[in-house]
Amino acid sequence: MLIIQKNSYEEISTLAAKIIAQKIKNKPNLVLGLATGSTPLGLYKALINMHKNEGLDFSKITTFNLDEYIGLPQTHNQSYYYFMHENFFNHINISKRLINIPDGMSEKHDIACNQYEDKIRHAGGIDFQILGIGSNGHIAFNEPGSSLNSRTRVKPLSKKTIKDNSRFFNSIDEVPTKSITMGIGTIMSSQEILLIANGLNKAEIIKSCIEGPISAMCPASILQMHRKVTVLLDKDAASKLTLEIES
Ligand code: PGA
């Protein structure tokens, strides 16, 4: 694992965007795994600026999002489909047919999950996966206790995640209780992974993820087994690490 610490959220967002821009320049048809949540918002903003000001070309990339709530239509302002279009896709020259987001409204979720795995395979696998981390250690919606070998499937959200995400809804009762999520095995099959985290509320879980034992109780800890992971942290998120880290 390469751990990099920067002073601020702005700095980690800018560096993450530079890393991804370089990947796209090296491979214009990059297969990029994308995350939602508040963490990658700064990164998406920086990539949009690179597109507008430097001509960064997204026209050939294929994207796969990590997860989606079950039961929210694409038009719901808290669906991840809506989030991605609002915060990223509508502002860049991505080809709409190369965007992939799990379908949280499908009639047959099991079939939709298998098809999502097939699509990733047919695209040649994910070259570069962006990840956030939940305050309980989840990656995508793989909550504590998830199988470390899992593939895309339906997963219930933990009480902690429902509480954390209720800040985006009018009330906690509106938060969906289930999701479709790439599995931990799906994420681990990516060629390269970039996990970003900021803020004091992530410090404890970042310590468990990087310095703790590998355990299904902290799904992100499995990243210790991946060949090529970079963890990009601001000062606060890195504040509980005992490791010496690069800045
Ligand atoms: P956040 O969520 O970026 O909103 O903190 C991260 C996650 O739950 O994976």
Side-chain angles (χ1 to χ4, degrees):
M1 267 184 174
L2 171 63
I3 321 287
I4 301 175
Q5 183 195 310
K6 292 283 167 196
N7 283 324
S8 65
Y9 176 67
E10 284 66 37
E11 282 183 45
I12 59 174
S13 300
T14 307
L15 179 55
K18 278 190 184 152
I19 293 170
I20 290 160
Q22 196 53 53
K23 296 281 166 200
I24 295 173
K25 282 175 194 157
N26 292 347
K27 186 180 179 192
N29 62 344
L30 191 77
V31 181
L32 185 60
L34 296 174
T36 51
S38 18
T39 311
L41 280 173
L43 155 66
Y44 294 147
K45 245 187 210 151
L47 285 172
I48 292 167
N49 283 337
M50 285 178 173
H51 169 64
K52 295 203 162 132
N53 303 325
E54 298 161 30
L56 182 60
D57 181 14
F58 293 92
S59 63
K60 295 192 180 65
I61 69 163
T62 297
T63 62
F64 285 93
N65 261 81
L66 286 168
D67 46 15
E68 178 60 285
Y69 290 117
I70 286 185
L72 295 190
Q74 292 177 348
T75 49
H76 192 290
N77 65 6
Q78 290 309 324
S79 75
Y80 288 164
Y81 180 96
Y82 189 96
F83 174 102
M84 288 308 305
H85 285 77
E86 194 71 4
N87 293 301
F88 193 34
F89 297 146
N90 288 348
H91 311 283
I92 57 171
N93 66 331
I94 193 162
S95 166
K96 301 281 179 212
R97 70 188 173 83
L98 299 178
I99 293 171
N100 298 281
I101 302 174
D103 179 4
M105 295 296 284
S106 79
E107 306 257 300
K108 301 213 164 113
H109 295 309
D110 289 350
I111 295 174
C113 291
N114 290 337
Q115 285 172 343
Y116 204 65
E117 286 284 327
D118 286 345
K119 272 190 179 171
I120 295 174
R121 237 187 329 273
H122 287 142
I126 293 169
D127 293 312
F128 193 87
Q129 177 68 55
I130 299 161
L131 289 181
I133 182 170
S135 62
N136 63 358
H138 75 201
I139 44 177
F141 276 133
N142 295 285
E143 302 285 24
S146 292
S147 158
L148 297 177
N149 263 328
S150 48
R151 311 300 300 195
T152 303
R153 70 218 182 289
V154 172
K155 282 295 282 181
L157 270 55
S158 69
K159 285 195 180 126
K160 177 90 177 89
T161 297
I162 290 174
K163 187 162 175 286
D164 282 354
N165 290 7
S166 65
R167 69 188 193 278
F168 300 115
F169 292 80
N170 293 325
S171 86
I172 196 162
D173 302 330
E174 288 181 17
V175 185
T177 55
K178 283 190 198 158
S179 67
I180 290 187
T181 179
M182 275 190 206
I184 298 175
T186 320
I187 293 168
M188 289 293 283
S189 300
S190 312
Q191 292 297 324
E192 191 170 351
I193 295 175
L194 174 67
L195 185 145
I196 47 182
N198 66 294
L200 271 181
N201 65 326
K202 297 287 171 72
E204 198 61 58
I205 201 66
I206 282 294
K207 181 174 173 57
S208 306
C209 162
I210 295 171
E211 297 181 353
I214 294 171
S215 161
M217 290 312 286
C218 176
S221 63
I222 191 66
L223 298 176
Q224 294 173 31
M225 294 289 289
H226 194 278
R227 294 180 306 281
K228 209 165 179 200
V229 178
T230 301
V231 181
L232 193 44
L233 305 169
D234 74 346
K235 255 192 195 154
D236 288 342
S239 59
K240 299 223 159 110
L241 292 175
T242 55
L243 268 180
E244 265 182 46
I245 42 184
E246 250 190 66
S247 53

